[in-house]
Amino acid sequence: MGATEKIARFIVDTNYKDLPREVVDKAKRSALDCLAASLAGISEPVSQTVTNYVTKLGGAAQASVYGAGVKVSVADAALANGSIAHALDYDDCGVKIGHPSVLVLPALLSLAEHLGASGEDLLAAYVVGLEVEGKLALHADFKLMQARLNHQTWYGSIGAAAACAKLLKLDVTKTRMALGLAGNSACGLSANHGSMAGAMAAGHACRNGVTAALMAQAGITANADIIEGKNGFYDTLVGPGHYDAERVAASLGKPFYIESPGISLKMYPSCYHTHRALDGVFKLLNEHHLDDKDITAVDVGTSERALRVLAFSEPATAYQAKFSMPHCIAAAVVDRQVTLETFTDRKLNDRDIVAARKKVQLSFPNVPIWPGLADVGPDTEFVGNPVTIKTTDGRSLSARVDIPRGDASLPLTDDELLEKYQDCARGQLPQDDIDRSVGWVRGLEKVDDVGTLMGILRSPLHRA
């Protein structure tokens, strides 16, 4: 039995009753976090543009688009909702996968609404999708992070297909077809980073997964051994000798990816590569009671790998500012916080923040700064960004935070997660709907029809 068949059997055989309580609880927290990012992202330009696009396409009214007040086809809803959820880069992070939940959950919610699926079925499919994409990423060569491909879209297409195949209750044969069809649709180029197309990477993965599973259900075939086969998924994406497909299959659920290495929830609505540095800056600001007028320079240690993502030293748009270490650090110094407001045109052009950006310097110390260099091994213990603040009275103050708040090993408290959800939802939903949606997710296993939540998320009530 090959790796793809073993993976398909795991997808088919894993049911809600098989999931440990801790896995279910972590899945519901990640789902609530992903929906928070989705609600906050509804009004973003990419979200509005994609929503208008899928609305004009017409077609069967099968699944809701977040905040649009309309239903479109399942595949188009998955595209739109995945793009909306990733529009602000405020969604969760996972080791070697990038952004795990946003590649799976919007696809599942769209399909579940169409099917009238239960919360239990949704949870099982969600965990399975996270598990397949996560283990595929973990057991590929670490140097894949050097690739010019947006690798999370590749993994995400497979993960979404696995999740949707589970929700459709496909058998092993058709699940293998779904994985093969998703592999054929995998896409994503790093050159689109910082543009609307980059933000839509999650939307494409979600649409690919939904479409692949529905095609497989309809009898469309593909290579049955797509994961390990010659010229297949791994062979093409990573290259011969740089992956272990059998180890992927053997490791499924032992433990689940969501348990270890776990999924990290973002404290700040910026690229995760900035979070350790931000925590270090805030540590120094608070300990030494500094404001921007006390500071002459801020040195932030980073890596060449990180700068492939943090590509905008002089951001031209509010979205690019999320991927700008100078902007994030400058905003932290001036405002003593980094929030959704930090990444608006007003803050991008704020005179004090513009001036503070010029004080931020990047350096490249010889330490394995997260996410590290491409030539280190997968077991390397990464450290945080060393930060040094120089003050007007001649002091040089240094800090390094290795584990940021929200990391899987230092998770947000339930109250912090609820505060994030409330902050993200406030501009879109009335308070009673915010409370209803929180209760819905926290009690997801008791929900008979996922469409009840989608009816709330579809509401355009507070949109301008």
Side-chain angles (χ1 to χ4, degrees):
M1 186 188 303
T4 306
E5 183 175 354
K6 291 176 183 177
I7 293 169
R9 289 189 180 279
F10 170 82
I11 295 167
V12 171
D13 293 342
T14 304
N15 298 304
Y16 175 79
K17 62 180 176 58
D18 303 315
L19 303 179
R21 185 73 249 171
E22 181 183 7
V23 168
V24 172
D25 290 343
K26 288 179 181 294
K28 290 190 291 186
R29 281 172 54 86
S30 290
L32 188 64
D33 183 82
C34 188
L35 291 177
S38 303
L39 288 165
I42 285 172
S43 298
E44 287 298 293
V46 62
S47 304
Q48 295 288 289
T49 303
V50 175
T51 295
N52 291 337
Y53 165 72
V54 298
T55 301
K56 288 179 180 178
L57 287 177
Q62 298 173 326
S64 302
V65 176
Y66 300 150
V70 299
K71 288 185 176 183
V72 297
S73 73
V74 171
D76 288 342
L79 171 66
N81 292 337
S83 301
I84 292 168
H86 196 43
L88 285 170
D89 203 70
Y90 205 3
D91 44 295
D92 61 24
C93 295
V95 175
K96 294 182 72 176
I97 188 63
H99 298 272
S101 290
V102 77
L103 304 173
V104 174
L105 187 63
L108 275 178
L109 286 171
S110 301
L111 183 58
E113 180 182 17
H114 175 52
L115 298 175
S118 70
E120 280 194 2
D121 286 343
L122 179 75
L123 276 167
Y126 181 38
V127 171
V128 162
L130 293 175
E131 181 69 0
V132 170
E133 69 178 8
K135 292 297 173 63
L136 283 172
L138 282 181
H139 298 299
D141 194 316
F142 197 75
K143 293 181 182 178
L144 176 60
M145 295 178 77
Q146 283 193 115
R148 294 178 178 85
L149 299 171
N150 184 336
H151 63 278
Q152 68 179 3
T153 314
W154 288 65
Y155 292 134
S157 295
I158 299 292
C164 291
K166 179 64 185 175
L167 198 63
L168 286 168
K169 304 185 188 315
L170 301 187
D171 62 18
V172 170
T173 298
K174 288 194 173 182
T175 297
R176 292 171 76 181
M177 296 302 106
L179 298 178
L181 290 163
N184 203 54
S185 302
C187 61
L189 298 174
S190 295
N192 280 318
H193 177 60
S195 70
M196 285 189 180
M200 288 176 63
H204 286 301
C206 288
R207 180 178 61 181
N208 291 345
V210 166
T211 302
L214 289 171
M215 285 182 173
Q217 184 186 50
I220 298 175
T221 61
N223 189 310
D225 299 313
I226 198 66
I227 302 301
E228 74 276 22
K230 182 175 175 55
N231 298 324
F233 182 81
Y234 260 154
D235 193 48
T236 301
L237 181 61
V238 191
H242 296 287
Y243 61 86
D244 192 339
E246 285 301 321
R247 192 175 174 193
V248 172
S251 70
L252 292 170
K254 301 175 183 177
F256 284 91
Y257 182 92
I258 202 169
E259 295 177 283
S260 179
I263 293 177
S264 302
L265 310 185
K266 285 190 173 185
M267 192 76 171
Y268 313 113
S270 59
C271 176
Y272 203 51
H273 295 288
T274 67
H275 285 214
R276 288 163 174 80
L278 286 170
D279 279 357
V281 167
F282 285 129
K283 184 175 189 293
L284 293 175
L285 293 177
N286 293 330
E287 286 181 355
H288 300 279
H289 309 290
L290 303 173
D291 63 35
D292 60 311
K293 302 301 187 295
D294 300 319
I295 296 171
T296 60
V298 182
D299 181 88
V300 181
T302 187
S303 67
E304 294 288 353
R305 169 67 184 90
L307 291 188
R308 296 184 182 202
V309 183
L310 297 174
F312 305 101
S313 58
E314 293 290 340
T317 67
Y319 183 69
Q320 288 182 0
K322 292 174 172 291
F323 303 95
S324 170
M325 184 73 85
H327 178 82
C328 292
I329 299 300
V333 167
V334 172
D335 293 337
R336 301 184 70 84
Q337 62 180 357
V338 173
T339 67
L340 291 167
E341 174 67 15
T342 301
F343 305 100
T344 60
D345 288 339
R346 186 173 74 83
K347 289 295 182 179
L348 178 68
N349 299 304
D350 181 281
R351 289 183 179 180
D352 290 337
I353 292 178
V354 171
R357 283 203 297 258
K358 294 179 170 55
K359 299 178 183 179
V360 179
Q361 306 162 353
L362 302 183
S363 60
F364 302 92
N366 187 27
V367 292
I369 296 171
W370 187 93
L373 307 173
D375 58 354
V376 300
D379 298 322
T380 298
E381 293 290 331
F382 294 124
V383 300
N385 304 75
V387 174
T388 299
I389 292 179
K390 295 183 179 179
T391 65
T392 54
D393 59 7
R395 288 178 292 166
S396 181
L397 309 169
S398 297
R400 195 187 80 194
V401 175
D402 293 344
I403 302 175
R405 196 84 182 102
D407 186 85
S409 60
L410 188 63
L412 300 182
T413 66
D414 288 344
D415 286 344
E416 286 172 330
L417 177 55
L418 179 59
E419 182 180 351
K420 175 178 177 177
Y421 187 85
Q422 295 265 6
D423 184 47
C424 289
R426 199 168 289 120
Q428 297 296 335
L429 299 175
Q431 188 60 48
D432 59 339
D433 277 350
I434 293 174
D435 295 340
R436 285 173 60 210
S437 57
V438 169
W440 187 96
V441 177
R442 285 180 166 173
L444 186 53
E445 66 274 26
K446 300 174 184 176
V447 172
D448 293 327
D449 185 349
V450 172
T452 57
L453 174 69
M454 294 304 286
I456 297 173
L457 300 181
R458 182 173 69 244
S459 170
L461 199 61
H462 280 203
R463 285 179 58 194

